[in-house]
Amino acid sequence: MSKTIIAGPCSVESRQQLQSVVEILCRVPHVKLIRGGVWKPRTRPGGFEGLGEPALRWMKELSESGLRMADGSPVRFCCEVARPEHVELCSQYSIRDIWLGARTTANPFMVEELCAALRGSGMNVMVKNPLNPDVRLWLGAIERLQQCGITVSAVIHRGFSMYDNHGYRNDPLWEVPMEMRRLLPDMPILCDPSHIAGSSALVPAVARAAMQLAFDGLMVEVHPSPETALTDAGQQITPEAMQSIVHTLADTAEGVPSDQMSAELTMLRDNIDDVDRQLLQLLEKRMQCSRQIAVIKRQAGLAVYQSERWAEVLADRLRQAEALGLDTAFTKDLLEKIHGESVRIQMD
Ligand code: PEP
Ligand code: MN
């Protein structure tokens, strides 16, 4: 498995807490970096906001203590920075890997300030997605950093804060990181299953989904006793649970198909290409009908949008979809898109 795994506590809470988690994680294959929150963005005031400098000092001491990562290199830490002073302190304590959190990525002013502080530092910067599902805002933060000559070593998908998060803490909306993959095909994309899941029980399933979607690695929150954690207690997992995730992921989505499987894949993909061609031709035919209908409605003085007709069409198509075994929510989304385009054409 050629994946990059970053693991460690949401927040550094004490030297003992950090050391006990590092001593296990540094022996887990594929763990390349240990994360540890030093300054914590809190939704509401009054909570634990991170220890600041002492946390950095313990990281430096541990990385100079002779402890080694599984690949033999000295233990390496990373943390989130949100202000220019954080960058300055990280560099004083020899932290070379940092990330921009979701709240920072969402704010171009803050990104600009960090760009100025990071210029010429040689640090590797990872960029979490913004809180809202705006791929251009995410891309904008990456571009701002790159324009200042800063190395963006990876982006991190941590889900999105939506009105309805569909059972997650942050809705994964996998299509957004997939779009990022299309826009920046060479950029490593890691998944943060902890902030997507919001509960430790759901973390392994989200991590598995990320592997199936060909993510390049994971950033996971790991705490020696999650139930006592000062931040994100519900979603942190034990070092042992982390070991078992790495173990089960080792054989996920890294296979090489046999010749027969490759031949079958090619045939099925040809079929998909053909079906897509037919779908597009049918859509074009449907839009032609809409254009002709528009002419009649205009002549008859009828409104473009006929709510009763649309309600009937939708109900009928959903019945058909159900009989065919198609997912209802998916079919509804698709039909709404098609109908929206039909209305747009008629308004032209
Ligand atoms: C974190 O990684 O602990 C964190 C605060 O993450 P995010 O920026 O994704 O909310
Ligand atoms: Mn956290």
Side-chain angles (χ1 to χ4, degrees):
M1 184 177 80
S2 60
K3 304 287 179 188
T4 295
I5 295 185
I6 302 176
C10 176
S11 305
V12 176
E13 299 170 3
S14 68
R15 161 116 200 191
Q16 167 58 27
Q17 173 241 19
L18 187 62
Q19 186 166 342
S20 66
V21 90
V22 169
E23 278 171 354
I24 303 182
L25 290 178
C26 71
R27 283 185 270 118
V28 178
H30 311 291
V31 173
K32 308 229 164 67
L33 272 170
I34 308 284
R35 67 157 279 159
V38 174
W39 301 279
K40 300 305 300 176
R42 306 314 304 275
T43 304
R44 300 185 64 198
F48 176 69
E49 291 184 333
L51 294 175
E53 211 166 336
L56 293 173
R57 194 170 54 244
W58 299 327
M59 288 176 172
K60 187 165 162 54
E61 285 168 11
L62 285 168
S63 57
E64 291 168 354
S65 68
L67 268 177
R68 311 237 142 223
M69 307 296 287
D71 67 0
S73 59
V75 166
R76 214 166 109 198
F77 290 92
C78 60
C79 70
E80 174 180 349
V81 296
R83 297 176 194 275
E85 309 88 89
H86 300 166
V87 174
E88 176 54 32
L89 279 163
C90 282
S91 104
Q92 275 176 35
Y93 286 93
S94 315
I95 301 283
R96 313 290 305 149
D97 297 87
I98 53 145
W99 76 84
L100 268 51
R103 293 152 193 80
T104 305
T105 307
N107 185 334
F109 287 128
M110 288 169 75
V111 175
E112 292 278 345
E113 283 189 17
L114 288 170
C115 285
L118 284 159
R119 197 188 276 272
S121 68
M123 287 186 184
N124 302 310
V125 182
M126 297 177 282
V127 183
K128 284 200 173 192
N129 64 258
L131 294 170
N132 50 324
D134 183 342
V135 79
R136 296 187 54 224
L137 193 57
W138 196 1
L139 192 60
I142 298 163
E143 288 167 346
R144 285 192 161 86
L145 289 157
Q146 289 176 332
Q147 278 174 12
C148 291
I150 298 157
T151 307
V152 178
S153 53
V155 298
I156 305 171
H157 171 49
R158 50 79 78 199
F160 303 94
S161 183
M162 310 293 287
Y163 179 65
D164 176 0
N165 287 325
H166 297 101
Y168 298 95
R169 175 177 178 189
N170 289 294
D171 196 322
L173 295 178
W174 296 107
E175 60 274 26
V176 181
M178 295 299 104
E179 176 64 2
M180 180 55 86
R181 170 75 83 210
R182 194 183 68 79
L183 294 169
L184 299 180
D186 299 325
M187 176 65 73
I189 307 187
L190 309 182
C191 175
D192 171 347
S194 309
H195 288 88
I196 291 175
S199 74
S200 52
L202 203 56
V203 168
V206 177
R208 217 169 16 253
M211 291 300 104
Q212 297 289 355
L213 292 170
F215 275 69
D216 300 291
L218 302 171
M219 175 190 266
V220 186
E221 288 192 337
V222 180
H223 192 287
S225 55
E227 60 294 344
T228 66
L230 298 180
T231 54
D232 289 348
Q235 71 192 31
Q236 299 204 60
I237 60 170
T238 60
E240 294 73 26
M242 185 67 224
Q243 280 174 313
S244 103
I245 287 185
V246 173
H247 190 69
T248 57
L249 293 187
D251 53 1
T252 313
E254 290 264 306
V256 179
S258 66
D259 286 352
Q260 193 197 334
M261 287 168 169
S262 293
E264 276 175 36
L265 270 178
T266 305
M267 191 194 75
L268 289 165
R269 284 175 174 161
D270 286 348
N271 284 353
I272 282 187
D273 292 350
D274 193 41
V275 170
D276 282 353
R277 230 179 338 265
Q278 292 180 45
L279 279 173
L280 291 174
Q281 280 166 4
L282 287 172
L283 276 173
E284 197 277 330
K285 199 166 162 186
R286 196 184 193 285
M287 297 309 160
Q288 280 299 341
C289 293
S290 296
R291 280 194 191 90
Q292 288 166 15
I293 285 174
V295 175
I296 297 171
K297 282 181 181 166
R298 211 168 298 133
Q299 284 167 352
L302 286 170
V304 163
Y305 178 62
Q306 302 281 327
S307 62
E308 274 173 36
R309 159 80 180 150
W310 169 233
E312 277 168 28
V313 168
L314 188 59
D316 172 70
R317 306 306 186 263
L318 290 178
R319 269 193 302 275
Q320 291 187 40
E322 205 180 341
L324 289 166
L326 283 167
D327 183 80
T328 318
F330 159 74
T331 310
K332 185 162 176 284
D333 274 358
L334 184 64
L335 288 166
E336 280 170 353
K337 270 257 183 281
I338 294 172
H339 181 246
E341 175 63 3
S342 172
V343 169
R344 189 191 67 77
I345 283 178
Q346 294 185 42
M347 308 268 283
D348 264 359

